[in-house]
Amino acid sequence: MQAAAMEPVGRMSAKGSDAYFKRTSFFWMAVITGSFGYYTLLMFWPQSIPYKSLGLWGNISKYLVDNYHPVLYIGYWLAWLLHGVEALYSVKLCSDKGITNSSTRTKWVLQTFLFGFSSLQHLLSYKPEQKEK
């Protein structure tokens, strides 16, 4: 195999900087998916959580659900709203950084909506090569 064929994930594609995409780490994907999944269960199906089996975490969760459910509910939707705002900001960043490939822009928006700042940080740190005049 040629060295170019073994290019790591997240590097610029052959098309150049207009198609730059870097996937967020599996660690953050797992943490954020698990956290939002647990939060969703707390909000909509709290009876399905085995609080006693979760030890201290279960006790804290049960206390919050029993005493602060409206606050948790607002926080849940604010978290999704924040992810939506970050996704919209990723559209602007793609434009500012010259990422014009529509498929790549869609990947950035979806990834940022689902995984928030763990995705957005890759786009924020991307420095496109300056074209010589």
Side-chain angles (χ1 to χ4, degrees), residues 27-41 57 115:
F27 171 78
W28 286 116
M29 287 180 173
V31 167
I32 293 167
T33 301
S35 298
F36 262 114
Y38 186 74
Y39 205 171
T40 300
L41 287 175
W57 185 254
F115 305 113

Side-chain angles (χ1 to χ4, degrees), residues 61-122:
S61 297
K62 179 76 170 137
Y63 176 79
L64 291 173
V65 167
D66 291 345
N67 297 295
Y68 295 98
H69 193 269
V71 175
L72 290 174
Y73 189 79
I74 291 168
Y76 178 82
W77 290 111
L78 281 176
W80 277 114
L81 178 66
L82 180 60
H83 278 235
V85 169
E86 289 170 330
L88 291 174
Y89 184 54
S90 73
V91 172
K92 181 191 179 320
L93 282 175
C94 283
S95 295
D96 292 349
K97 294 181 182 259
I99 300 171
T100 57
N101 183 292
S102 62
S103 173
T104 303
R105 291 172 78 131
T106 302
K107 287 179 189 176
W108 277 114
V109 170
L110 289 175
Q111 178 175 267
T112 304
F113 180 70
L114 293 173
F115 305 113
F117 189 74
S118 66
S119 168
L120 194 61
Q121 70 182 350
H122 294 303

